[in-house]
Amino acid sequence: MNGHSEGSVLGTKPGYTLCVLGCGTMGVAVLSGVLASIAPHHSSPFKKWELPTSGTSTPQGEYDSTRPNRFLACVRREESAKKLLVDFSQIPLGSEVKVSAGKNVEAAREADVVLLSCKPYNAADVLTEEGMFEALEGKLLISQLAGTTISQLKSWVPPTTRVIRAMPNTPCKIREGMTIVSSIPSGPDFHRDERILLNIFSSIGRCRFLDEKHFDACTALAGSGPAFACIVLEAMADGGVMMGLPRAEALEMACQTLQGTARMALKPNTHPAQIRDAVTTPGGCTIAGLLALEDGRIRSTIARAIQVATERASDLGQPVKK
């Protein structure tokens, strides 16, 4: 099964082959972002207020060898491959992606960079498939698997495979994601690998490098965070409905308010407490609402949610206890 067009324009440019093993939701999000960054003048499917901020897009310039020019997407079943072809047909340059089912080893053999996006509990099966060990010799392997450590991954691949962990989150689908990437090991490929990683993950939002010891907390904060934020969104909208606002308008106000506030807080030398204090006038409605939130222990409840999610994240990549 093939979604790759012959005579590809990208194929004439310098670059490398990027392969996604287990190309599910997050794999599609990453490939979509990379392809969109290569085709910056496409008509965006997102409305104006959903576009990424200027600081989250990949800087455009001369096409270089640290950006991919060939794309392979692998899944296990033919039905999944057919769905992928439909998904990629709806994005800019999506026809450039070659989709295959049950051909992980062949794809890894052709690739220069392999993005592992399967379920954490399938990692061992994928990486120990016959022929995969040889296929990964000297390659850059980027794992997006929650809870699966670099040490575990290295036990399944050749010593020459450069193993990196990356943790993107769901908003990557609209190129507003937050991706944490593990520290790059020193070596002759250090600077090239750094450029490759930045080109991939800055195309779908913001990207930060952190030591692997922080990854479980990053999984909880950035990975699970959108779910926690949606609870806050729904609660704010419910409050508006309670006070007579139409549901659609209440939800729109809640969403835009959180989005705008978050972008303000991302500005240099700005702290959320400064924004809060600027809105909170003596004897006003804001301080009354804040006290109600403190009565409900919202601050400690949300912080505890991150703590519990972090503890759970550490178990995700471990063998299931029988």
Side-chain angles (χ1 to χ4, degrees), residues 21-24 115-124 126 144-146:
L21 300 182
C23 191
L115 189 64
L116 186 64
S117 296
C118 62
K119 299 295 184 184
Y121 53 79
N122 287 331
V126 171
Q144 295 188 140
L145 312 187

Side-chain angles (χ1 to χ4, degrees), residues 146-147 165 212-221 309-311 313-314:
R165 285 183 68 186
E212 189 190 17
K213 65 182 180 181
H214 298 298
F215 262 59
D216 291 335
C218 293
T219 300
L221 182 55
T310 299
E311 293 167 352
S314 65

Side-chain angles (χ1 to χ4, degrees), residues 56 71 73 85 99 106 180 202 230 233 244-245 291 299 303 306 319:
T56 63
F71 304 87
L85 285 175
V99 177
E106 292 90 332
I180 303 302
S202 66
C230 283
L233 279 175
L245 292 175
L291 288 175
R299 198 183 289 256
I306 302 298

Side-chain angles (χ1 to χ4, degrees), residues 10-249:
L10 291 181
T12 65
K13 297 182 178 182
Y16 65 88
T17 298
L18 174 63
C19 163
V20 180
L21 300 182
C23 191
T25 301
M26 199 56 70
V28 171
V30 172
L31 284 180
S32 299
V34 173
L35 289 166
S37 73
I38 294 171
H41 303 300
H42 74 279
S43 176
S44 173
F46 307 121
K47 295 182 179 179
K48 181 178 179 181
W49 56 83
E50 295 175 326
L51 290 172
T53 55
S54 59
T56 63
S57 303
T58 303
Q60 299 301 320
E62 186 177 348
Y63 205 97
D64 64 63
S65 63
T66 60
R67 295 171 65 193
N69 66 352
R70 187 162 176 253
F71 304 87
L72 310 175
C74 304
V75 289
R76 286 192 297 175
R77 299 188 301 273
E78 287 290 341
E79 308 85 70
S80 300
K82 291 176 182 177
K83 181 180 182 302
L84 272 188
L85 285 175
V86 174
D87 291 341
F88 285 125
S89 70
Q90 299 171 0
I91 64 173
L93 296 180
S95 61
E96 298 287 342
V97 181
K98 179 182 177 181
V99 177
S100 62
K103 297 182 178 180
N104 285 348
V105 174
E106 292 90 332
R109 191 177 293 129
E110 294 180 40
D112 302 295
V113 177
V114 176
L115 189 64
L116 186 64
S117 296
C118 62
K119 299 295 184 184
Y121 53 79
N122 287 331
D125 290 339
V126 171
L127 294 178
T128 58
E129 182 180 351
E130 185 178 356
M132 184 62 77
F133 191 89
E134 293 76 15
L136 291 175
E137 287 275 5
K139 306 287 176 71
L140 175 61
L141 175 67
I142 308 168
S143 168
Q144 295 188 140
L145 312 187
T148 307
T149 66
I150 290 177
S151 176
Q152 286 176 289
L153 293 164
K154 283 185 173 181
S155 71
W156 298 319
V157 301
T160 58
T161 303
R162 306 185 305 283
V163 179
I164 295 292
R165 285 183 68 186
M167 183 53 59
N169 63 2
T170 302
C172 291
K173 291 195 289 186
I174 61 166
R175 301 181 69 195
E176 284 282 10
M178 181 71 241
T179 303
I180 303 302
V181 181
S182 64
S183 302
I184 305 171
S186 59
D189 297 296
F190 177 89
H191 294 294
R192 176 177 169 79
D193 287 349
E194 182 181 48
R195 287 282 301 278
I196 287 173
L197 289 160
L198 284 173
N199 281 337
I200 290 174
F201 293 110
S202 66
S203 73
I204 53 174
R206 291 176 177 266
C207 176
R208 288 286 182 184
F209 288 89
L210 281 176
D211 290 339
E212 189 190 17
K213 65 182 180 181
H214 298 298
F215 262 59
D216 291 335
C218 293
T219 300
L221 182 55
S224 302
F228 305 151
C230 283
I231 292 291
V232 176
L233 279 175
E234 285 187 299
M236 291 175 65
D238 285 347
V241 172
M242 174 67 184
M243 301 315 296
L245 292 175
R247 169 65 65 179
E249 284 76 4

